[in-house]
Amino acid sequence: MASGSGSGSKDGVSGEAWSKTCQILRHELGEATFGSWLSQASLREQEGGDVCLVAATGVARDWIRRHAWRRIGELWAQNDPMGRSLALKSRMEFEGQGPAPAATPPAPQAARPAPEARRPEPEVPSPRPTPSVARQQGLQDRFNFDSFVPGPSNEFAFAVARRVASWADGHFNPVLFHGPYGFGKTHLLNALAWEAMQTGGDRRVVYLTAERFTSTFVRAIQDRQTAAFKAELRNADLLLIDDVQFVAGKPTTQEELFHTLIALIEDGRRVVLTADRSPSELSEMDPRLRSHLQSGLVCGIEPADGALRLGILERKLAVLAQAGEFLPSARVEVLQFLADRFTDSVRELEGALNTLVARVGGDIARLGLDEAQAILRPHLACSEKRVTVDQIQKAVAEHYGLKQADIISERRARVVARPRQAAMWIAKQITTRSLPDIGRRFGGRDHTTVLHAVRRIEALKQDDPVLARDLDAIIRKLRS
């Protein structure tokens, strides 16, 4: 039976039903999330004519059950004309190679609840002992698993990193984490390194950036020490390379990295890398190396959604409060402003909170929204790209497959009304236009209409992860 993106049973009926289901899920979850968790799932027939969704791993099965199973059941019921029940198992369970977990509930038919990012309690990470080994130079103490905040956009990569760090069997090799700048790849790789060194006994862990790999290799050539360079890396039990995209366009370095990966993997050693794009998008990279990066497990990390950004702020505030000896508390509206305004990078998000704490210290709990905006205004002015209401209308219309004329028209159908409300909400968030001014630019509407739209979208995005993801994507595009 074929894999998850278009899998089906022998009679073809299941295949068509699952194909339709996947098409909707791919749109709702996003390409990276769908690819990480569901693209390797497949449908298998069971005795009695029922079918089972078989996840590639137990980790994938558990994620699907927590975050997508209700929605899958709803879509399956809509698309399967035979009305068969759908079970969920990992591949090992289905093939009888491992114990089954608690019984999988039948695919439910209830309305889909919105999955939420896990918002951890803002507890301060416990300190990690620092191993005194020279090859760990470059690792940052603050980047560990305790300080990493998982959510739907990074949970698969987080689970894979924890598994690799535990030296568990059955791993994929190599593993590549990819995603935009500033959303946790380096943090995850550092955390993996620290954990692997603590759990690996005498196993050798080598961590370095691609830039350091390149410079060290060039220096080894100049000093005629290439044999020592190769021995240092190829004797590693776990090799971690950050930002591998930087070797693209450097033929000699790519050649050395390619042979290093081949030697390690053939010898049963483990390799984990990060990149800012998926291997298929690294067009300047040597095809052999690019193909090798694709041969293991490729984990996409999407930009953090609003709930995850709030969780990151709470964790960061707890750390800053401990260092400054004040209570880790801030007004909800201030944290929400930071989460809504700094969407392009977790580093920028944490930097904004650093700025506020540096200015007001323990008074952060009493800091109001207007004062917070005033403190951050110079920073916002430097990075702000002027966005017009017209550009917002065009971007929203393009995102939802509409015409700009639809956005400002009198049409009240939901397919138009909801994007129109979203456009008004975005205009209120990222422009300085007043509500009456925004209303005039949306077909001469009253300011109360705009206020209703803003409040409506504000409420909906708390419970609708698809809408929240759409808003984030549109705003990032407008600011890019």
Side-chain angles (χ1 to χ4, degrees):
M1 185 173 297
S3 63
S5 58
S7 59
S9 64
K10 295 176 182 177
D11 61 9
V13 176
S14 295
E16 184 177 354
W18 181 240
S19 180
K20 292 178 180 178
T21 299
C22 284
Q23 186 176 2
I24 297 172
L25 289 171
R26 191 184 297 272
H27 171 73
E28 292 182 351
L29 296 173
E31 188 66 37
T33 300
F34 181 90
S36 294
W37 298 105
L38 282 161
S39 65
Q40 298 302 314
S42 61
L43 286 184
R44 304 287 181 89
E45 289 184 347
Q46 300 189 118
E47 294 182 6
D50 288 331
V51 288
C52 180
L53 179 61
V54 180
T57 65
V59 172
R61 174 207 61 210
D62 293 343
W63 186 93
I64 293 170
R65 182 180 291 128
R66 287 197 306 271
H67 297 289
W69 189 236
R70 188 179 293 268
R71 181 56 171 162
I72 288 173
E74 183 181 63
L75 294 172
W76 178 258
Q78 294 173 4
N79 293 311
D80 181 28
M82 300 174 65
R84 293 165 294 179
S85 65
L86 181 65
L88 174 63
K89 296 181 180 180
S90 71
R91 184 173 299 157
M92 290 184 66
E93 293 164 5
F94 186 84
E95 295 174 353
Q97 299 174 7
T104 300
Q109 310 303 318
R112 178 196 184 194
E116 298 180 356
R118 295 206 304 267
R119 294 275 302 281
E121 294 296 323
E123 58 188 27
V124 180
S126 57
R128 295 271 182 160
T130 304
S132 56
V133 182
R135 61 178 175 274
Q136 295 163 17
Q137 184 179 358
L139 289 174
Q140 300 184 55
D141 291 344
R142 63 192 180 95
F143 287 159
N144 52 60
F145 284 134
D146 289 335
S147 61
F148 190 89
V149 183
S153 61
N154 60 27
E155 193 172 29
F156 179 62
F158 181 70
V160 170
R162 294 299 297 256
R163 183 169 179 80
V164 174
S166 69
W167 301 94
D169 293 331
H171 64 281
F172 295 89
N173 211 11
V175 172
L176 175 73
F177 300 119
H178 72 88
Y181 171 82
F183 282 100
K185 300 187 302 297
T186 296
H187 188 151
L188 203 59
L189 205 63
N190 273 253
L192 198 166
W194 287 119
E195 189 79 9
M197 287 185 289
Q198 290 187 354
T199 61
D202 293 333
R203 293 183 173 117
R204 297 187 68 247
V205 178
V206 176
Y207 166 90
L208 68 168
T209 64
E211 182 180 7
R212 185 178 170 195
F213 177 95
T214 301
S215 61
T216 306
F217 177 57
V218 170
R219 187 164 60 250
I221 293 176
Q222 295 171 343
D223 296 342
R224 298 183 179 180
Q225 295 292 323
T226 54
F229 173 82
K230 293 178 180 181
E232 170 67 16
L233 296 187
R234 298 183 190 187
N235 285 330
D237 295 289
L238 172 61
L239 175 63
L240 306 161
I241 299 181
D242 200 10
D243 288 326
V244 72
Q245 74 273 2
F246 285 118
V247 305
K250 301 177 176 69
T252 306
T253 304
Q254 289 184 92
E255 181 78 13
E256 179 59 28
L257 179 58
F258 172 75
H259 289 296
T260 297
L261 297 185
I262 291 289
L264 288 170
I265 293 172
E266 287 183 348
D267 200 29
R269 315 298 179 98
R270 307 184 183 200
V271 181
V272 183
L273 313 98
T274 71
D276 63 352
R277 288 156 285 163
S278 67
S280 61
E281 297 175 297
L282 297 173
S283 56
E284 296 182 2
M285 185 168 283
D286 181 275
R288 294 181 305 160
L289 179 55
R290 187 169 66 240
S291 175
H292 216 67
L293 296 179
Q294 291 175 300
S295 66
L297 179 61
V298 178
C299 304
I301 299 177
E302 293 184 322
D305 61 16
L308 180 55
R309 290 196 296 271
L310 281 172
I312 291 169
L313 286 170
E314 290 170 352
R315 179 63 64 84
K316 179 67 175 179
L317 181 59
V319 174
L320 293 173
Q322 185 188 52
E325 298 184 350
F326 58 85
L327 292 176
S329 177
R331 292 187 179 180
V332 174
E333 60 268 24
V334 172
L335 295 180
Q336 190 66 58
F337 163 71
L338 296 177
D340 288 340
R341 175 58 186 81
F342 296 92
T343 62
D344 294 335
S345 166
V346 170
R347 291 192 181 97
E348 292 181 7
L349 179 68
E350 293 183 336
L353 182 60
N354 288 338
T355 300
L356 295 181
V357 172
R359 285 287 296 273
V360 302
D363 288 333
I364 185 73
R366 294 190 293 273
L367 185 68
L369 178 58
D370 290 342
E371 187 179 357
Q373 291 174 330
I375 292 172
L376 294 173
R377 188 168 293 127
H379 174 73
L380 296 174
C382 292
S383 60
E384 185 77 4
K385 173 186 175 183
R386 183 177 178 82
V387 178
T388 67
V389 175
D390 181 71
Q391 289 172 326
I392 293 171
Q393 292 171 349
K394 289 178 180 177
V396 171
E398 180 182 354
H399 185 86
Y400 287 103
L402 301 171
K403 297 179 181 178
Q404 185 178 3
D406 295 326
I407 299 295
I408 61 176
S409 72
E410 295 296 326
R411 291 178 59 191
R412 296 188 178 183
R414 182 173 176 176
V415 69
V416 175
R418 187 56 49 76
R420 180 187 299 128
Q421 290 177 328
M424 291 178 179
W425 181 86
I426 293 173
K428 179 66 173 65
Q429 299 300 310
I430 68 173
T431 75
T432 58
R433 299 291 181 183
S434 65
L435 294 180
D437 199 6
I438 292 173
R440 283 193 293 271
R441 284 165 168 75
F442 279 83
R445 286 174 164 80
D446 187 81
H447 79 280
T448 57
T449 302
V450 180
L451 181 60
H452 170 75
V454 170
R455 289 175 174 172
R456 181 64 176 155
I457 293 298
E458 195 66 45
L460 287 173
K461 76 186 187 75
Q462 303 301 322
D463 299 319
D464 187 344
V466 176
L467 175 61
R469 191 159 48 239
D470 286 344
L471 294 171
D472 278 352
I474 294 168
I475 291 174
R476 282 198 302 273
K477 182 176 181 180
L478 287 164
R479 284 175 170 161
S480 64

